[in-house]
Amino acid sequence: MNFYKMQGAGNDFVFIEDFNNEIEDECLLAKKLCDRHFGIGADGLVIVRKSEIANAKMVIINADGSRANMCGNAIRCFGKYVYEHNIANGDRFSVETGDGVKDIEIILANEKVRYVRVYMGKPSYDGRDIPLNNMESIIKTDITVDDKTYNMTTVLLGVPHTIIFENDKEYDVILDGSKIEKIDLFREGSNVNFVKIIDETHIKVDTWERGAGATLACGTGCSASVVVAKKLGLVHKDKEIFVKAPGGELVIEVLGDDVFMKGPAEVVFEGKLSL
């Protein structure tokens, strides 16, 4: 079986095709391939399949074998993969995900893929959507975890994301993120983003991803951080926001309730799997 290793802003994935649905245990396969010592090493496994409602279907499984409905960096890599492998015609096409169908736009420079722009959907603060236990929403709410209090906002944008602004406090993405991810409020866990406001059009985001841990970038996390920052009036309400993650920069645009993400995607290497 052929594979491709791809990365978007440092968030890395193993890509394989499974057009005939031949993989028997994809979660076990993800754990094996994503292991950085005994496998290829990645934050997640991405499976390329046929779709009856879009040009292609993206299945993503975290490094720990858990499933994810959506991943922003993965879908940018997926868009580049679909375009360069002629799975879809043209520079605009659709991708089926666990969070619905996403529209993709390929932005070229000198006939090569420079950026991939993705429609990320609409955010929801409704506790039923996130989903939350025994709370209607979490917006600028003080939550105490192990005797430490965090002011947090949680939003669903493909997957649940909890946003914590740290301009006045410093947090440890691993220690604090791992604790917050699994608190009882979150029925299915939550990704955790620690955000610093740089100016009205620039922010910095460090993300703890459920199922993957601290990553170099999280596309849905960067998008969710901008959505919340705009809602709370911390950045310019009408302009694109440039988001600096440890692995690179993404550009997030919010038009009404619609969220768009733009950023790079690269092939790292390719090879053959021995299963």
Side-chain angles (χ1 to χ4, degrees), residues 38-200:
F38 297 101
I40 298 166
D43 294 321
L45 170 66
V46 175
I47 303 173
V48 186
R49 289 192 170 128
K50 295 178 182 178
S51 172
E52 296 182 356
I53 59 175
N55 295 105
K57 180 178 181 179
M58 179 182 81
V59 175
I60 179 163
I61 304 169
N62 295 316
D64 68 350
S66 62
R67 297 179 181 274
N69 287 332
M70 174 60 180
C71 173
N73 288 318
I75 200 170
R76 286 203 323 280
C77 292
F78 194 91
K80 177 182 173 73
Y81 186 98
V82 166
Y83 177 81
E84 294 184 341
H85 288 78
N86 299 311
I87 296 173
N89 295 321
D91 57 8
R92 293 175 183 264
F93 49 87
S94 60
V95 172
E96 179 186 352
T97 75
D99 186 47
V101 175
K102 305 298 181 183
D103 295 323
I104 307 293
E105 179 185 359
I106 302 297
I107 301 172
L108 301 173
N110 298 321
E111 300 184 352
K112 294 184 178 180
V113 177
R114 181 171 185 181
Y115 295 114
V116 180
R117 186 173 186 261
V118 182
Y119 172 58
M120 301 294 287
K122 302 176 186 291
S124 173
Y125 298 91
D126 192 319
R128 294 168 296 183
D129 296 333
I130 290 171
L132 298 175
N133 285 318
N134 304 316
M135 288 191 73
E136 293 182 358
S137 64
I138 299 176
I139 301 175
K140 290 190 69 176
T141 302
D142 286 338
I143 304 293
T144 300
V145 184
D146 291 345
D147 299 322
K148 187 173 182 178
T149 300
Y150 305 86
N151 186 268
M152 59 177 67
T153 299
T154 301
V155 62
L156 181 77
L157 189 62
V159 292
H161 278 283
T162 294
I163 314 301
I164 298 171
F165 293 96
E166 58 174 2
N167 284 58
D168 297 326
K169 295 182 179 180
E170 294 291 333
Y171 298 98
D172 186 298
V173 65
I174 296 176
L175 295 178
D176 294 294
S178 60
K179 291 180 182 179
I180 296 169
E181 174 198 355
K182 297 181 179 180
I183 61 177
D184 290 340
L185 281 176
F186 304 125
R187 198 178 308 163
E188 298 174 1
S190 177
N191 300 280
V192 187
N193 305 272
F194 300 96
V195 183
K196 288 185 178 180
I197 305 297
I198 300 172
D199 58 35
E200 68 173 5

